[in-house]
Amino acid sequence: MAARLLPSWVWVTGLTAGATVAVVFLALQADKGPHPTAAAVRPSPSASAGAHPSPSPKPTKAPEAPAASGTGRRIVYSLGQKRVWTVDAHDKATRTFTVWPGTVSPDPGTYTISRTRSATTGSDGVQIEHVLYFASKSGLSVAFSNAADGSAPAPAAGKQTSGIRMHKADGAALWTFGTEPNTKVTVVK
């Protein structure tokens, strides 16, 4: 019995179909498994003498805003935890993140965002953006902001600074939340 040869176009079509099936299979397998990534290392503000780029962390849901932080739509800033929350009108925390406070901190209490600036130069000479002013102390205006280049602030060497800095993504989110009229800021210990 003689083997029957198939035309070459049948072989090419079969190979193409087989390759397509293999590519689809591998793509589906790659989509199912975990995708390991390099761990983000965030040095502390005292880790270096100069400003350095810092990765933007994903906002976290925990911990909840402090119980004694008021009610209604507001920004909550905890001096001791160095943490900010945005809280909606139903008293649900919608975002929380850590911050780098300046050397001058506001007193605990309730404030209102009094002025905003999309960009300026901070008291430490760094270009900043998403600036939300809400208090003053020791002749300085206290405001939330982020460095325009995404860097973390260097330790203030003998200089009074009142900016409360955050990662760039957090600064953009706080700007969106805080530029609504009459946004309250509650500062707690």
Side-chain angles (χ1 to χ4, degrees):
M1 177 169 196
R4 184 171 173 219
L5 295 175
L6 296 174
S8 62
W9 66 269
V10 172
W11 286 101
V12 171
T13 303
L15 288 173
T16 303
T20 302
V21 169
V23 168
V24 169
F25 174 78
L26 291 173
L28 289 172
Q29 291 301 319
D31 196 40
K32 287 182 182 178
H35 301 287
T37 58
V41 177
R42 258 183 264 137
S44 68
S46 60
S48 69
H52 54 279
S54 61
S56 295
K58 292 186 178 184
T60 60
K61 292 186 179 183
E64 290 296 317
S69 66
T71 59
R73 188 180 183 285
R74 66 199 180 278
I75 297 169
V76 177
Y77 172 43
S78 170
L79 298 169
Q81 293 183 52
K82 298 179 185 175
R83 179 172 288 278
V84 167
W85 292 261
T86 55
V87 181
D88 68 15
H90 304 289
D91 291 322
K92 180 178 173 12
T94 58
R95 186 180 185 104
T96 184
F97 49 89
T98 57
V99 296
W100 298 286
T103 60
V104 175
S105 295
D107 293 323
T110 302
Y111 304 87
T112 301
I113 299 292
S114 57
R115 187 169 51 118
T116 63
R117 289 190 79 166
S118 59
T120 190
T121 302
S123 58
D124 57 359
V126 173
Q127 291 297 310
I128 57 174
E129 60 187 5
H130 305 123
V131 188
L132 300 168
Y133 296 93
F134 66 93
S136 63
K137 186 169 180 184
S138 301
L140 297 172
S141 295
V142 180
F144 297 112
S145 66
N146 63 271
D149 67 0
S151 65
K159 195 177 214 181
Q160 286 193 324
T161 59
S162 57
I164 302 161
R165 296 279 172 78
M166 59 204 64
H167 292 280
K168 193 170 179 107
D170 295 326
L174 195 63
W175 174 263
T176 300
F177 187 90
T179 52
E180 286 195 24
N182 301 313
T183 298
K184 300 285 184 206
V185 177
T186 302
V187 178
V188 297
K189 291 183 180 190

